[in-house]
Amino acid sequence: MKIGELANATSTKVETIRYYESIGLLAPPARSASNYRDYGGEHLNRLSFIRRARDLGFSLEAVRELLALSDNTHQSCEAVDLIASSHLAEVKRKIQDLSALRSELGRVIESCRHGTIGDCKIIETLAPRAA
Amino acid sequence: MKIGELANATSTKVETIRYYESIGLLAPPARSASNYRDYGGEHLNRLSFIRRARDLGFSLEAVRELLALSDNTHQSCEAVDLIASSHLAEVKRKIQDLSALRSELGRVIESCRHGTIGDCKIIETLAPRAA
DNA sequence: CTACACCCTCTAGCAACTAGAGGGTCAAGC
DNA sequence: GCTTGACCCTCTAGTTGCTAGAGGGTGTAG
């Protein structure tokens, strides 16, 4: 299958596939006589895996480790659990940060009386002493 | 005041200050005889503004606009409100995305029985058909 | 006079792509 | 047989918001 077909099958951009190859995440496929990339089922599986992991927010480095781990079917999956759990912790932390941000932004915007910039509470919040 | 002092006063790194100057966010200050940057109170105000806006998650582009707006004290602050509100909307969107992610990740991790990789639910989730 | 902390410029690096230049290939339609 | 258009190739540079390093100059304290 050509790169465009693989891209279609996995909802990935062609450039992204080439990028994954360039950083060693996806193995280089065979080439046709005209130097086109020629992918097989294994590549499709691999890229699907990558896509799903990315959709779950894993970094490319994490994906790389998950891929490596997924090949050792007989090992314990402790390491997998560790990667996923620390990612989850990170996601939770981000949610907390953003929630705090939302509250503060909401408060600031709420207090805006839509007058002139001179007495805009939003600007005032940003530059308390500049008045 | 020298760049290091300004950095201290605003909890900003020296390199970041120079970076802000390089992208035109902070006006170039006067220079001492030995070519050191020499900042005044206006720069301190400006950089404080930038820092606060950044802490509220505004992009540098948004900060640039907010700075420009903050100078026209007599104009309506509608534009300010617009920038802040659309930023808030973005923050809310991100929280929703991350919350969905958290649920899914939580579910996947929960189902992991800590056996071998071969029957790890996390890996299975990522590569449903690769089994 | 010699450390040492500070300052300068310029360049490259991070994540994870994305977009463009400047070309080659291939099948369909006239 | 020739053109058109969709696809493919490589290589480079851009995005955001810094950060780190090389390779040098300055200023002050002991």
Side-chain angles (χ1 to χ4, degrees):
Chain A
M1 101 200 288
K2 283 191 284 188
I3 196 168
E5 304 171 59
L6 180 62
N8 253 328
T10 57
S11 306
T12 308
K13 295 198 176 178
V14 165
E15 292 84 4
T16 304
I17 297 177
R18 284 197 282 247
Y19 170 67
Y20 286 162
E21 181 182 329
S22 82
I23 62 168
L25 201 60
L26 198 60
R31 296 292 183 124
S32 76
S34 50
N35 202 30
Y36 287 10
R37 286 173 180 81
D38 184 17
Y39 296 97
E42 196 45 46
H43 285 104
L44 178 59
N45 284 340
R46 210 78 170 167
L47 184 53
S48 301
F49 185 108
I50 296 170
R51 288 294 299 172
R52 268 183 271 263
R54 292 291 299 137
D55 283 349
L56 285 174
F58 287 99
S59 70
L60 288 184
E61 252 326 286
V63 173
R64 202 187 291 275
E65 293 175 43
L66 288 172
L67 274 171
L69 286 167
S70 77
D71 288 336
N72 297 20
T73 40
H74 298 307
Q75 277 199 331
S76 142
C77 76
E78 220 174 293
V80 174
D81 192 49
L82 205 71
I83 294 174
S85 297
S86 89
H87 177 45
L88 176 56
E90 175 78 1
V91 168
K92 285 181 178 169
R93 212 185 43 67
K94 274 186 190 159
I95 291 175
Q96 287 206 335
D97 287 358
L98 285 176
S99 297
L101 207 58
R102 177 182 52 187
S103 304
E104 185 151 7
L105 268 176
R107 238 182 314 110
V108 170
I109 293 172
E110 197 61 28
S111 69
C112 177
R113 292 280 167 273
H114 303 290
T116 65
I117 296 236
D119 42 39
C120 175
K121 295 293 180 188
I122 302 175
I123 295 288
E124 224 168 85
T125 299
L126 293 170
R129 74 197 63 209
Chain B
M1 99 199 290
K2 283 191 286 189
I3 195 169
E5 304 172 59
L6 180 62
N8 254 328
T10 56
S11 307
T12 309
K13 294 199 177 177
V14 166
E15 293 84 3
T16 304
I17 298 177
R18 286 196 282 247
Y19 170 67
Y20 286 163
E21 181 182 328
S22 82
I23 62 168
L25 201 59
L26 196 60
R31 295 292 184 125
S32 76
S34 50
N35 201 30
Y36 286 11
R37 285 173 180 82
D38 184 17
Y39 295 97
E42 197 43 47
H43 286 102
L44 178 58
N45 284 340
R46 211 79 171 164
L47 184 53
S48 301
F49 186 107
I50 295 171
R51 287 295 299 172
R52 269 183 271 263
R54 292 290 298 136
D55 283 350
L56 285 174
F58 287 100
S59 71
L60 288 183
E61 253 326 286
V63 173
R64 201 187 292 273
E65 292 175 44
L66 289 171
L67 273 172
L69 287 167
S70 78
D71 288 336
N72 299 19
T73 40
H74 298 308
Q75 276 200 329
S76 141
C77 77
E78 219 174 294
V80 174
D81 193 49
L82 205 71
I83 293 174
S85 297
S86 90
H87 177 44
L88 176 57
E90 176 78 0
V91 168
K92 285 181 178 169
R93 210 185 44 68
K94 274 187 190 161
I95 291 175
Q96 288 207 333
D97 286 357
L98 284 176
S99 297
L101 208 57
R102 177 180 53 186
S103 305
E104 184 150 8
L105 268 176
R107 239 182 313 109
V108 170
I109 293 172
E110 197 62 29
S111 69
C112 176
R113 291 279 167 275
H114 303 291
T116 64
I117 296 233
D119 43 40
C120 177
K121 295 293 180 189
I122 302 175
I123 295 288
E124 223 169 87
T125 299
L126 293 170
R129 74 196 65 209

